[in-house]
Amino acid sequence: MSAWFVENGMLLGLATLDGVSSAASVFMVAVGLNLVFGVLRVLNVAHGSLYAIGGYAAASTSLFLLARGMPAWAALPLLLVSSAIVGGILGPPIERLLRLMQGQEEVLQLLVTFALFMILEDGQKLVWGVRPVVSDAPVKVLGTIEVPFGSDAIPFTAYQLLVLPGVALLTLAVLAFVLRRTLFGRMIVAVTVDREAARAMGIDAGRVTLLTFSAGAALAALGGALASPTTSLVPGIGASTIVLSFAVVATAGLGQIEGAALSAFMIGLGRSLAVYFAPELEVVVPYLIMVAVLLVRPQGLFGTLEARRI
Amino acid sequence: MSRRAELVLALLGAAAVVLLSWAVPWLRFVLTIALAKGVAVLGILLLLRAGQVSFGHALYLALAAYMAAFGASRIPDTLLLLPLAGIVAAAAGLAIGLFVSRYRGIFFGMLNLALSMVFYSLLEKFYAVTRGADGLRVPATTFGGAALSAEGQSWAMLCVALIAAFGSGAFVKVYLASPLGSALSAVKTRETRLEFMGVPARLVLLAAYVLSAFLAGIGGVIVALSTRHVTPALAYWTTSGELVFIAVLGGAGGVLGPFLGAAAYELTRVYAAALVAEAWQMALGAVLLLVILFAPGGLWGMGQALAARRRPA
Amino acid sequence: MFGVPANQAAEMLIEEINASGGIGGVKVRPIFVDEGPGVAHFVGEYRRLVQSEKVDIVFAAISSADCLACAPLAEELKRPTILWDCSTQRIFEENRYDYVFRTIGNSTPEILAPLLYLLKMKPDFKTVSVINQDYVWGRDSWAMFTAALNVLKPGVRVVSEMFPKFGATDFSTEITRLLALRPEVILNASWGGDLDAFIRQASDRRLFERSTLVMPLGESSLERVGKSLPPGHIIGARGDHWFLHPKPADPKLLATFTEAFHRRTGIYPIYPCHHMAQAIFATKKAYEIALARKNGGWPNDAELAAAFKGLEFPSLTGTVRIREDGQGVQDMIMGTTHLSDRYAFRILTDMIVFPGEMVTAPVGQVSLDWLRTLKPEMLGRIPQPVPFKA
């Protein structure tokens, strides 16, 4: 009996390590989505395409530069740089388009992002083709870490164990700091809570929205860039990523940064536990968690109830 | 637009469908699918009236399609299968609706999405029953006991689709004019006032939801019996997105909109796929974007505006 | 994924045929259709091709779902249809067709050959795990693998069975579990981006040092995963498709094709290119036979279909025969990954070409039942491995 506990306890430990790293990648996408929802009040379906494009851009630039003599370690910072560029290039025009739609029905706004998603999906296929693209230099540079497992030791990549959760935590900390402690962050919060009132206070809501949206886009691209060294980039990853981040965001409550972290963690952990103990359930776990949370708290874990219109 | 003008337009549309199917045989199948999707989109239209958008109605479409695939070997008659699978979809709609009708806006959309993704995963996972991603073959069905040739079968399916389209279109029109229907737009704008008047908003939405599930189910059966093969992709969230897409493309203003939208959508799709095989999805996305930006009333709204301009009141 | 290289092969071969006068003096005009948007769309496109474009013959499809959907339709519209790449054995085991033919082998040899190769090369293993994509090929191939394993080498313990969803790209949890369980053999019958991602992640975490991987579709990923894949693991190719085939029937044919394809696309031809070539060669041969039977008259649909029954035609590496049930019988190559300075990726050594008859269920038999009747003595009939010669 106790042997069973020891063994399963150790498996649980391994599952947690995997869960944390998969939570980290989901978090990066979900938090960007949430940020954008905060300022624009629209759930951006095209966010998934930004994730895919970020991944493709990172992988192909690093392949391109490595072939031309870039040292392998430089592939790591390149992930950041290329996502910032993707966010900077694609963010503003999409934001422009969405702002045109402000004041229209919520449904129409959502559909605009759906149309953008369809366009970007094919655009990405035209640019990168359907052959899987991958550049695993960042993983190779850092090597592996042996995690003791009884008398055995399981190799994990340092990238998975340190970089992914590290970047996610850093993002969380920076966002929390910016939103709470800086003037610009407070402007974002003000626009999120009440756009009209913020404008009346002299805040340039348009600029705040633009910058926040671009930051959100860059975060999505960074999520893709971070995933690119380990996963294969293939058509369709945008579509599957966006549903997963929807689940995270809805579980967290809209506009909640820390909530997104917690629910990404729950969902990541839930999935990796499922691989060990109930592989059949792995795919449905995120949705089951979401439905369970919303049954108890209709506004999500951390969401606040919106005032009802009278 | 008067009720009579609408009826005349609908009859003209039906005549055009029959004529096209006769002149261009391969379009018969495409138009049958378009009509089936139109029926499903009618349900989306009901929810849109209440300001709610479901990114998960593919669940009901796929559920009914799989019911048809399983049921066809036991109850091989189309005229029995159609209502039965529709009722199963409606029952599922009732069970799920009791839960999701408490939510509005994004949460409503996302919950529907999540549940349809769960269903999608189940279809893929239980391969022993559903044959996973390869899907199930749907056996040939009879019509009122008569077994038809392949040619006759495709005509019969088109007729069934047309009848279903007329029946559901008329029903939705009546429903929208009824108190339950007109309360829907109140859910969208002034939900609390509705409750002050003693009308439970949740029930109003629930009724529409169950009806929409039924309509999606009817559409699903027709899709299954004409494609003769069902796969889990029917339940994927992009299928739901497609239904919402058609609703907006056609325009939410009248019951003819969904059919107009579905026909435009399917025809654009087959021709775009033939012309720009690499970028058909991009072409569709661009069409959708243009419609939303420049003709928010959809094709139907555009038509109405044109008619109004020609005949100044 | 596989459509693009196959399309390129088709364009190249059809250009060649047309340059030499076409088939019976008639030029071939190909129409390519994307099967990506799903079965309903595919069925619509199939009808359009037959009824509107009036094509003489249809090549369909990569996805088994599309093949299952269009086979009855082909029969209904009486238009000869070639299943050029999908391999589900269900089509010809569950139904009878007169207008549907497959110019490649089916799932059964694709999984039995890897098992026989494994038993030949590594006869002493005691534990096995599986990680397959969660769809019918992934499930069916595992069912067939275990059915045959139980009769050919009883007593092997299955330590884990994992079926991550189709299209998954992150296998870190699955790999952790495999690392912890230490099975001697791991079967991975997936392909495409899924397999590439798995190989990379497994290589980063040194799974290849702990277990022998058996990858029945590995050939199609070799060039893409490059040096991530270490030597000493087992690779199959869904046929005897390998650009360095040890004993091709017509070495010049294979070499010219490989070179022309490489020049045109920058990559070495993978099995879908071979499959496409087979469909085209079979069509050409069938037309020639039908034309001869009619003394040069252009055959109608039924006459063309009749020419496919029992047809023997050349592939890039050997000969394929279409049986009376429409199923093709073809040899299966298996090999072990090997280091060579001449290529930037792993190539195969210790290659065994299994005769098609040996690994395919006979006409009228259901594969799973047939596999259960196999006897261990068949292991003695396995040909000797041929090493790679630079």
Side-chain angles (χ1 to χ4, degrees):
Chain A
M1 191 65 194
S2 70
W4 187 91
F5 272 111
V6 170
E7 183 164 327
N8 281 284
M10 286 193 329
L11 281 180
L12 203 68
L14 289 182
T16 311
L17 290 179
D18 284 313
V20 166
S21 65
S22 85
S25 3
V26 179
F27 167 74
M28 297 301 293
V29 196
V31 79
L33 188 69
N34 225 343
L35 209 57
V36 169
F37 180 83
V39 289
L40 271 173
R41 295 280 139 186
V42 54
L43 215 44
N44 181 14
V45 181
H47 202 72
S49 310
L50 293 169
Y51 169 89
I53 291 172
Y56 273 111
S60 46
T61 35
S62 104
L63 284 177
F64 180 82
L65 292 176
L66 284 171
R68 275 154 193 77
M70 180 180 78
W73 60 264
L76 272 170
L78 188 67
L79 297 177
L80 269 173
V81 177
S82 67
S83 351
I85 294 175
V86 169
I89 292 179
L90 288 176
I94 299 181
E95 190 267 350
R96 204 57 263 155
L97 186 66
L98 289 180
R99 196 124 49 94
L100 271 182
M101 298 297 299
Q102 285 236 313
Q104 294 266 27
E105 273 180 48
E106 217 173 69
V107 181
L108 290 182
Q109 298 191 24
L110 197 61
L111 272 172
V112 167
T113 70
F114 186 67
L116 279 173
F117 163 79
M118 294 174 83
I119 294 173
L120 289 176
E121 277 288 291
D122 265 10
Q124 155 214 320
K125 250 188 258 177
L126 289 176
V127 176
W128 282 284
V130 291
R131 261 166 68 97
V133 177
V134 98
S135 158
D136 53 1
V139 179
K140 291 268 191 306
V141 172
L142 295 173
T144 53
I145 297 174
E146 303 269 335
V147 173
F149 177 70
S151 55
D152 202 350
I154 308 287
F156 278 86
T157 62
Y159 184 83
Q160 182 199 353
L161 232 43
L162 302 177
V163 176
L164 289 179
V167 173
L169 280 178
L170 201 65
T171 309
L172 179 63
V174 168
L175 279 178
F177 177 79
V178 168
L179 289 178
R180 303 248 156 75
R181 298 290 147 105
T182 63
L183 181 62
F184 183 70
R186 296 192 179 196
M187 288 187 339
I188 297 179
V189 175
V191 173
T192 303
V193 174
D194 191 332
R195 198 180 181 87
E196 294 313 312
R199 237 196 225 132
M201 307 278 287
I203 293 175
D204 182 352
R207 207 172 70 92
V208 169
T209 311
L210 175 70
L211 288 172
T212 315
F213 188 91
S214 303
L219 280 174
L222 183 58
L226 284 174
S228 69
T230 53
T231 63
S232 286
L233 295 163
V234 286
I237 51 163
S240 50
T241 307
I242 192 68
V243 263
L244 196 59
S245 11
F246 279 162
V248 171
V249 169
T251 311
L254 293 161
Q256 294 296 314
I257 305 294
E258 286 86 352
L262 184 66
S263 68
F265 180 70
M266 278 166 55
I267 284 173
L269 195 62
R271 282 176 82 186
S272 58
L273 285 179
V275 171
Y276 282 87
F277 301 105
E280 299 300 317
L281 287 180
E282 190 218 332
V283 193
V284 289
V285 160
Y287 308 110
L288 293 182
I289 292 180
M290 166 181 161
V291 169
V293 166
L294 291 188
L295 263 177
V296 186
R297 283 186 62 86
Q299 67 281 20
L301 279 179
F302 294 86
T304 41
L305 277 174
E306 277 195 42
R308 301 182 76 187
R309 282 173 301 192
I310 299 184
Chain B
M1 185 164 296
S2 75
R3 189 172 287 186
R4 183 183 290 168
E6 214 166 20
L7 184 64
V8 169
L9 270 181
L11 286 171
L12 280 177
V17 164
V18 173
L19 209 65
L20 257 177
S21 317
W22 176 73
V24 192
W26 67 273
L27 276 183
R28 199 182 306 146
F29 171 75
V30 175
L31 289 170
T32 310
I33 299 288
L35 285 168
K37 287 199 176 149
V39 172
V41 172
L42 272 177
I44 303 289
L45 189 89
L46 284 176
L47 298 174
L48 278 179
R49 278 290 166 96
Q52 306 304 317
V53 52
S54 157
F55 266 101
H57 262 53
L59 163 63
Y60 304 109
L61 193 129
L63 177 65
Y66 270 85
M67 286 308 298
F70 285 120
S73 49
R74 257 146 267 162
I75 317 161
D77 200 274
T78 314
L79 304 182
L80 279 173
L81 266 179
L82 192 67
L84 270 180
I87 288 166
V88 171
L94 180 64
I96 294 175
L98 279 172
F99 166 49
V100 297
S101 63
R102 289 163 49 198
Y103 302 84
R104 298 289 179 275
I106 297 296
F107 285 105
F108 179 84
M110 289 305 114
L111 271 175
N112 276 298
L113 175 106
L115 291 168
S116 86
M117 288 303 288
V118 170
F119 185 64
Y120 167 79
S121 310
L122 292 180
L123 288 180
E124 284 216 316
K125 278 285 169 194
F126 288 93
Y127 76 107
V129 188
T130 62
R131 285 297 192 167
D134 275 10
L136 284 174
R137 170 131 193 81
V138 184
T141 47
T142 56
F143 294 82
L148 300 172
S149 68
E151 173 89 6
Q153 173 117 6
S154 68
W155 275 114
M157 276 321 297
L158 182 70
C159 290
V160 168
L162 270 173
I163 293 167
F166 266 95
S168 54
F171 185 77
V172 167
K173 186 138 183 88
V174 172
Y175 185 85
L176 284 176
S178 74
L180 259 180
S182 35
L184 277 174
S185 33
V187 172
K188 177 174 174 177
T189 47
R190 295 286 180 265
E191 183 167 342
T192 318
R193 280 194 199 167
L194 198 65
E195 303 226 323
F196 288 162
M197 282 159 54
V199 186
R202 218 183 127 187
L203 278 186
V204 171
L205 188 60
L206 181 62
Y209 191 86
V210 173
L211 182 54
S212 71
F214 177 76
L215 292 171
I218 295 290
V221 179
I222 299 175
V223 168
L225 295 182
S226 353
T227 319
R228 305 273 307 279
H229 195 91
V230 292
T231 64
L234 284 174
Y236 200 59
W237 73 271
T238 45
T239 310
S240 304
E242 198 178 277
L243 296 179
V244 182
F245 179 131
I246 294 174
V248 171
L249 180 67
V255 291
L256 285 181
F259 299 102
L260 201 60
Y265 177 86
E266 290 293 320
L267 291 176
T268 318
R269 185 159 91 159
V270 290
Y271 282 106
L275 290 174
V276 277
E278 302 289 308
W280 61 274
Q281 192 167 260
M282 188 181 263
L284 278 179
V287 168
L288 179 64
L289 205 54
L290 290 176
V291 166
I292 297 175
L293 287 179
F294 300 110
L299 294 175
W300 178 242
M302 244 152 76
Q304 273 186 322
L306 278 180
R309 202 180 306 162
R310 198 167 298 166
R311 196 164 6 96
Chain C
M1 176 66 230
F2 288 145
V4 173
N7 256 23
Q8 291 164 332
E11 279 169 359
M12 191 175 99
L13 290 168
I14 290 173
E15 274 169 28
E16 280 173 19
I17 289 180
N18 285 342
S20 60
I23 297 177
V26 178
K27 300 267 196 238
V28 181
R29 189 171 65 91
I31 302 174
F32 297 102
V33 164
D34 182 11
E35 61 175 296
V39 177
H41 179 80
F42 179 79
V43 169
E45 289 287 282
Y46 185 93
R47 283 182 189 273
R48 180 174 70 84
L49 289 175
V50 172
Q51 295 179 327
S52 161
E53 303 278 356
K54 308 230 180 294
V55 297
D56 293 310
I57 188 162
V58 185
F59 293 179
I62 292 175
S63 138
S64 294
D66 289 339
C67 283
L68 287 164
C70 83
L73 199 59
E75 204 65 10
E76 181 187 314
L77 301 171
K78 300 210 183 310
R79 189 58 45 90
T81 295
I82 288 185
L83 309 180
W84 70 275
D85 190 61
C86 63
S87 75
T88 173
Q89 75 287 354
R90 282 163 60 193
I91 294 205
F92 296 108
E93 285 179 4
E94 293 174 4
N95 277 298
R96 245 193 68 82
Y97 297 104
D98 286 318
Y99 287 85
V100 184
F101 306 95
R102 178 180 277 147
T103 48
I104 60 167
N106 63 20
S107 302
T108 314
E110 288 169 5
I111 194 67
L112 180 56
L115 174 63
L116 293 177
Y117 185 83
L118 172 70
L119 292 171
K120 170 97 179 170
M121 306 301 287
K122 193 179 161 58
D124 299 325
F125 72 98
K126 292 192 183 55
T127 49
V128 61
S129 281
V130 63
I131 172 161
N132 275 3
Q133 287 151 316
D134 195 12
Y135 77 123
V136 172
W137 158 248
R139 298 281 186 168
D140 274 5
S141 62
W142 175 240
M144 291 198 272
F145 188 91
T146 42
L149 181 64
N150 281 338
V151 290
L152 295 175
K153 181 177 162 61
V156 174
R157 196 162 61 87
V158 175
V159 287
S160 71
E161 298 177 278
M162 287 182 281
F163 297 90
K165 86 178 167 70
F166 189 87
T169 47
D170 180 8
F171 299 100
S172 47
T173 314
E174 283 84 356
I175 289 171
T176 308
R177 198 171 163 206
L178 289 171
L179 286 164
L181 290 169
R182 286 181 172 269
E184 287 167 83
V185 171
I186 299 170
L187 173 71
N188 185 337
S190 55
W191 49 269
D194 306 29
L195 182 60
D196 293 8
F198 179 83
I199 290 176
R200 284 215 171 74
Q201 292 164 16
S203 156
D204 288 336
R205 303 192 42 199
R206 304 205 294 273
L207 178 62
F208 290 107
E209 292 166 22
R210 297 192 177 201
S211 309
T212 300
L213 266 285
V214 178
M215 295 167 276
L217 274 70
E219 181 259 355
S220 54
S221 287
L222 285 178
E223 191 172 352
R224 284 196 307 269
V225 296
K227 298 203 163 77
S228 296
L229 181 60
H233 296 274
I234 296 173
I235 296 288
R238 291 191 63 198
D240 56 347
H241 315 306
W242 180 231
F243 72 103
L244 298 171
H245 193 286
K247 245 191 290 165
D250 182 351
K252 205 169 147 269
L253 176 70
L254 179 63
T256 6
F257 176 81
T258 303
E259 202 200 318
F261 190 82
H262 191 264
R263 202 166 347 117
R264 196 179 168 113
T265 62
I267 56 170
Y268 286 95
I270 51 175
Y271 78 74
C273 311
H274 288 254
H275 283 173
M276 181 51 81
Q278 282 172 209
I280 291 173
F281 294 163
T283 306
K284 187 160 178 276
K285 188 79 185 278
Y287 264 108
E288 284 163 7
I289 290 176
L291 282 163
R293 279 186 195 156
K294 224 178 166 183
N295 295 321
W298 194 252
N300 61 23
D301 290 339
E303 288 158 354
L304 179 61
F308 274 105
K309 289 236 154 138
L311 180 73
E312 274 202 32
F313 63 93
S315 69
L316 290 166
T317 45
T319 312
V320 182
R321 186 170 59 82
I322 297 180
R323 302 193 303 205
E324 58 268 33
D325 61 349
Q327 173 62 50
V329 179
Q330 102 172 105
D331 298 348
M332 291 286 145
I333 195 170
M334 292 299 305
T336 305
T337 48
H338 179 67
L339 243 143
S340 160
D341 301 335
R342 285 176 50 201
Y343 300 93
F345 54 95
R346 304 295 172 231
I347 51 157
L348 300 184
T349 187
D350 293 337
M351 291 168 276
I352 296 183
V353 179
F354 291 86
E357 275 76 15
M358 179 181 182
V359 284
T360 310
V363 180
Q365 293 214 27
V366 174
S367 288
L368 209 51
D369 301 335
W370 175 72
L371 289 169
R372 292 196 182 104
T373 65
L374 297 180
K375 300 277 181 302
E377 90 247 357
M378 87 183 284
L379 299 176
R381 289 189 281 121
I382 299 176
Q384 284 309 307
V386 184
F388 168 73
K389 278 195 286 291

